[in-house]
């Protein structure tokens, strides 16, 4: 019994040490300017920092841009990736192995390596300083195609054969059989894609110089230079930018668990 209590106390202590910096960061958004770097509980909690960021800085515009880009990329990417993964997993065509190897090989290439040629292509297509320039390059993600393909390889072929006997083609099998079965994987990828695009910084910084197209991470970076001596505003902006990611993660986690409970192969 004592051993169990000792382990529980140790677990709570480790959890507190892990959460304490996050709690301090959250409190910093509501601290007065003169108490920003204090470790204790603030003497007063104020909304002035948050109100200033929302009213004196076009931060709501930054949040709206990030939300639009992240949601659009997530929805389109999941649709295209699931179709590509189904074709690579279930359809027999010449060069399928080479196509899959080419997709996986792109995982070895990081964004800084292709930033300049990608920008040249986007500029040639006239997508600089447009939402299309922010969205289109983020649609392809080799990890999503790879993960969905591996999942589709585990789907029993008996389901497809039964659908073929009912007169279904590849499209109807994909839409009515394979796609509903992949809801747990799509939910997990949706959370990952949204978080990745919400937190993207390098590409939006390069392709969008127009302030009206500025996303939240670029906006926070601009605040760090503009308000170098007023870090309480920057902290408030960072907290506001982090809240949607926490909300999406929690909602996505619940949806994923629910899908795992209700989805199965019979």
């Amino acid at each position: 019994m004592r051993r169990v209590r000792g382990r529980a106390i140790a677990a709570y202590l480790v959890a507190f040490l892990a959460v304490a910096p996050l709690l301090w960061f959250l409190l910093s958004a509501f601290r007065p300017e003169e108490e920003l770097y204090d470790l204790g509980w603030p003497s007063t909690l104020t909304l002035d920092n948050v109100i200033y960021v929302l009213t004196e800085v076009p931060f709501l515009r930054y949040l709206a841009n990030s939300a639009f880009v992240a949601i659009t990329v997530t929805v389109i990417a999941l649709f295209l990736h699931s179709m590509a993964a189904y074709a690579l997993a279930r359809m027999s065509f010449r060069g399928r192995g080479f196509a899959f190897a080419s997709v996986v090989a792109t995982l070895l290439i990081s964004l800084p390596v292709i930033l300049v040629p990608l920008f040249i292509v986007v500029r040639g297509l006239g997508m600089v300083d447009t939402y299309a320039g922010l969205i289109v390059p983020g649609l392809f993600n080799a990890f999503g195609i790879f993960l969905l393909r591996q999942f589709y390889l585990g789907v029993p072929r008996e389901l497809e054969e039964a659908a073929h006997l009912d007169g279904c083609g590849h499209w109807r099998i994909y839409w009515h059989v394979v796609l509903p079965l992949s809801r747990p994987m799509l939910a997990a990828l949706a959370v990952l894609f949204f978080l990745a695009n919400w937190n993207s910084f390098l590409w939006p910084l390069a392709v969008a110089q127009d302030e009206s197209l500025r996303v939240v991470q670029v906006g926070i970076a601009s605040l760090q230079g503009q308000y170098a001596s007023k870090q309480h505003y920057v902290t408030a902006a960072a907290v506001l930018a982090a809240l949607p990611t926490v909300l999406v993660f929690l909602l996505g986690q619940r949806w994923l668990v629910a899908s795992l409970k209700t989805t199965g192969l019979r």
Side-chain angles (χ1 to χ4, degrees):
M1 190 67 179
R2 292 181 179 177
R3 183 179 301 178
V4 174
R5 289 181 178 177
R7 291 179 179 177
I9 293 174
Y12 283 123
L13 180 60
V14 171
F16 175 77
L17 292 176
V19 174
L22 299 178
L23 295 177
W24 183 88
F25 172 68
L26 180 62
L27 280 176
S28 297
F30 306 99
R31 290 177 183 271
E33 180 180 1
E34 61 275 6
E35 299 181 15
L36 179 62
Y37 299 105
D38 293 346
L39 295 179
W41 188 268
S43 59
T44 59
L45 295 176
T46 177
L47 292 175
D48 293 343
N49 301 334
V50 176
I51 293 175
Y52 183 91
V53 170
L54 294 177
T55 56
E56 302 299 326
V57 179
F59 201 74
L60 288 176
R61 179 72 180 186
Y62 303 159
L63 292 173
N65 288 337
S66 290
F68 176 73
V69 172
I71 293 174
T72 303
V73 170
T74 299
V75 172
I76 298 177
L78 288 179
F79 181 63
L80 297 179
H81 289 186
S82 59
M83 287 195 297
Y86 175 71
L88 291 173
R90 292 305 197 184
M91 298 177 65
S92 298
F93 56 90
R94 196 169 187 177
R96 184 179 68 171
F98 176 77
F100 178 66
S102 300
V103 170
V104 175
T106 60
L107 292 172
L108 304 175
I109 305 174
S110 60
L111 178 60
V113 176
I114 61 172
L115 182 63
V116 174
L118 183 60
F119 180 82
I120 294 174
V121 172
V122 170
R123 186 182 61 182
L125 295 174
M127 294 191 300
V128 174
D129 278 335
T130 63
Y131 282 111
L134 292 169
I135 293 172
V136 173
L139 294 178
F140 176 79
N141 190 308
F143 176 75
I145 297 176
F146 171 79
L147 201 63
L148 286 169
R149 175 187 177 272
Q150 298 305 113
F151 178 81
Y152 291 154
L153 288 175
V155 176
R157 289 192 175 273
E158 289 79 3
L159 297 175
E160 296 181 64
E161 294 173 357
H164 273 301
L165 293 177
D166 291 336
C168 295
H170 285 297
W171 173 255
R172 292 185 63 185
I173 292 175
Y174 159 78
W175 188 258
H176 295 289
V177 178
V178 175
L179 203 59
L181 292 176
S182 57
R183 284 183 299 173
M185 194 62 64
L186 291 175
L189 287 176
V191 175
L192 295 177
F193 287 172
F194 181 88
L195 295 180
N197 286 278
W198 181 273
N199 293 321
S200 61
F201 171 77
L202 185 58
W203 177 248
L205 178 65
V207 77
Q209 301 300 319
D210 189 352
E211 187 176 358
S212 64
L213 296 174
R214 189 173 290 174
V215 297
V216 66
Q217 301 302 330
V218 179
I220 292 176
S222 67
L223 288 179
Q224 288 178 333
Q226 186 177 357
Y227 295 94
S229 61
K230 296 183 179 296
Q231 289 297 312
H232 52 294
Y233 294 146
V234 179
T235 304
V239 170
L240 290 175
L243 289 179
T245 62
V246 175
L247 180 62
V248 168
F249 179 79
L250 293 177
L251 293 177
Q253 186 181 41
R254 293 179 181 179
W255 198 93
L256 175 59
V257 172
S259 297
L260 290 173
K261 291 180 179 179
T262 58
T263 301
L265 300 177
R266 295 183 175 87

